[in-house]
Amino acid sequence: MKVLICGGAETAAGRAADLVAARLRRAPATTLGLATGGTMEAVYAALIARHRAGDCGFAAARSFNLDEYVGLAPDHPCSYWRYMREHLFGHVDFAPDRTHLPQGDAPDPQAEADRYEAAIRAAGDIGLQLLGIGANGHIGFNEPTSSLASLTRVKTLARATRAANARFFSGSEDVPRLAITMGIATILRAEEVVLLAVGEAKAEAVARMIEGPVSAFCPASALQTHRRVTVILDDAAAGQLALRDYYEDIHPGGM
Ligand code: F6R
């Protein structure tokens, strides 16, 4: 794992956007794996700025998002479809038929999950996968004890995840109990992974992901088995790393 500690949260988000933009310049037809959530908002804002400056384009790319809530139609105000339109798709030159999310309101959610997994495989799997991390160590909506061999499927959200995401709804009770999420094995098939974590609330999960044992109890720790992972952190999220000096020695200032 390459661990880049970047100082402030904005610098860290900019660094993640730089890696995505560089990949798009090198390989414009890349398949991007995309995440949602608070952490990604700054990454997408930085990517939109780079796109407007002519630094990167999305016209030849395609994308698959990690997850979607079961029961939410694409036009639901709290759906991840809506989030992606607001924070990225509506501002860059992605062709609409090249962006993909699971259909949250599909009549048979597991059949939809199977279809989505097959579509990712048919696209040749993800080129660059962007990830956030939950305070409980989840990636996508792979909650603790998710099988490290899991594929796209329906998962029950942890109470802590529903509480953390209540800020996007009118309250915790409105957050759906189920989501369709790429599995851990789906994510591990990506050619490269860029994970961004900011803030003290993520520090413990970050330390378990990088320095703890590989365990389904911390799903993000499965990334230790991947050959090309870059973890980008701000100072606060790096706060519990035992080998912080070492990472800073190798990549001063997160460069
Ligand atoms: C979102 C996702 C989640 C988030 C994680 C962190 O598509 O899959 O794993 O990345 O819950 O969310 P924030 O950034 O809101 O703390």
Side-chain angles (χ1 to χ4, degrees):
M1 268 185 190
K2 192 190 272 188
V3 180
L4 308 180
I5 303 169
C6 294
E10 205 182 317
T11 311
R15 191 85 178 87
D18 283 341
L19 294 184
V20 175
R23 168 99 193 190
L24 287 169
R25 283 196 299 275
R26 206 168 57 243
T30 287
T31 300
L32 295 173
L34 299 176
T36 57
T39 312
M40 290 301 137
E41 291 178 14
V43 178
Y44 296 143
L47 266 178
I48 292 166
R50 281 155 184 66
H51 172 66
R52 289 191 178 143
D55 276 356
C56 65
F58 297 81
R62 70 182 136 190
S63 69
F64 287 88
N65 264 74
L66 281 165
D67 38 29
E68 178 60 288
Y69 293 110
V70 166
L72 300 198
D75 59 356
H76 188 286
C78 299
S79 74
Y80 284 160
W81 268 108
R82 180 69 86 86
Y83 172 105
M84 290 309 299
R85 274 197 299 274
E86 264 172 31
H87 292 287
L88 184 66
F89 298 158
H91 309 277
V92 297
D93 58 345
F94 251 129
D97 62 342
R98 295 175 71 82
T99 58
H100 307 275
L101 282 90
Q103 187 85 23
D105 62 346
D108 180 344
Q110 186 52 51
E112 170 61 9
D114 294 343
R115 182 201 66 77
Y116 198 70
E117 178 75 25
I120 294 169
R121 275 191 194 277
D125 284 324
I126 305 298
L128 185 152
Q129 176 68 55
L130 204 47
L131 293 176
I133 182 171
N136 65 1
H138 73 211
I139 47 174
F141 276 138
N142 294 286
E143 301 286 27
T145 73
S146 285
S147 162
L148 302 190
S150 53
L151 301 177
T152 306
R153 69 209 181 292
V154 176
K155 268 306 281 181
T156 303
L157 300 182
R159 199 175 293 213
T161 300
R162 293 178 70 221
N165 289 359
R167 68 195 195 278
F168 298 110
F169 291 79
S170 355
S172 186
E173 276 317 299
D174 290 340
V175 183
R177 304 187 76 83
L178 302 174
I180 296 173
T181 179
M182 281 189 202
I184 295 175
T186 318
I187 293 169
L188 291 176
R189 291 202 310 270
E191 199 185 317
E192 67 176 305
V193 175
V194 174
L195 184 145
L196 173 66
V198 299
E200 201 186 334
K202 301 293 173 69
E204 190 193 333
V206 163
R208 287 198 289 134
M209 163 177 69
I210 299 172
E211 297 174 340
V214 174
S215 157
F217 194 63
C218 177
S221 67
L223 297 173
Q224 292 177 31
T225 68
H226 192 284
R227 281 189 197 83
R228 240 179 117 192
V229 176
T230 305
V231 177
I232 304 174
L233 305 171
D234 70 349
D235 278 335
Q240 294 191 29
L241 289 170
L243 299 182
R244 179 173 177 159
D245 285 355
Y246 176 59
Y247 313 132
E248 289 185 320
D249 239 24
I250 305 172
H251 301 288
M255 294 310 288

